[in-house]
Amino acid sequence: MTATYTWDVFSTLDGYGSYAEGADWGGYWSKQGPELLEHRAAAFATEQRMVFGATTFRETAQIMSSGIDPNTLDEWNVRTMRMPATVVSSTLQDTLGWPDATIVSGDAVDIVARLKKESNVPLRSQASLSLNRALMAAGLVDRLQVTIFPVISGRTGISPILAGAGDFDLELLESRTLDGHIQELVYRPTLHV
């Protein structure tokens, strides 16, 4: 059986995954509400294996292990840290305090193809933009889950989520509105030839 691989990414309406340092947006572009946080916690309540590229893993591990009281974190973040993780990296040597992380060096496509064959739980990757664009081009992303926050960050936006990606047909599998203004869209991507 092949494990399902979900690329889970947050975005502005204009396609940015983050904002420049000094921009006064705050987490979730300051648009989160109880419905989003409850939905995210539920999505991370089941056993999964996280897959990260080096940069996203480094940033996530730094936040999670910076001495922040876990009770102040959103529940889905706490659950993420408890999940096993595979980190695809040729530069990292340390799991940076992540309780159940494994660093694997090599070709990301080969590593994730093997994980999909061997894993008995679904695979999920948050952000890790360049990693997931490569995996999507190789046909390894089964579900592209984009949560769109109701902002345009044309001046302060950084990290365009699909910059440099190939051309894909998207089959809409699910959609929902959270807190009356956040859109979650789940697609099945197919490379357009």
Side-chain angles (χ1 to χ4, degrees), residues 22 43 45 56 89 98 105 139 144 146 153 163 171 175 178 180 188:
T56 299
S89 174
W98 197 281
S105 181
L144 170 58
V146 182
S153 59
E171 176 189 350
S175 66
L178 301 161
R188 177 180 294 121

Side-chain angles (χ1 to χ4, degrees), residues 84-102:
T86 297
V87 184
V88 180
S89 174
S90 58
T91 58
L92 281 174
Q93 303 299 318
D94 185 337
T95 60
L96 307 173
W98 197 281
D100 189 8
T102 304

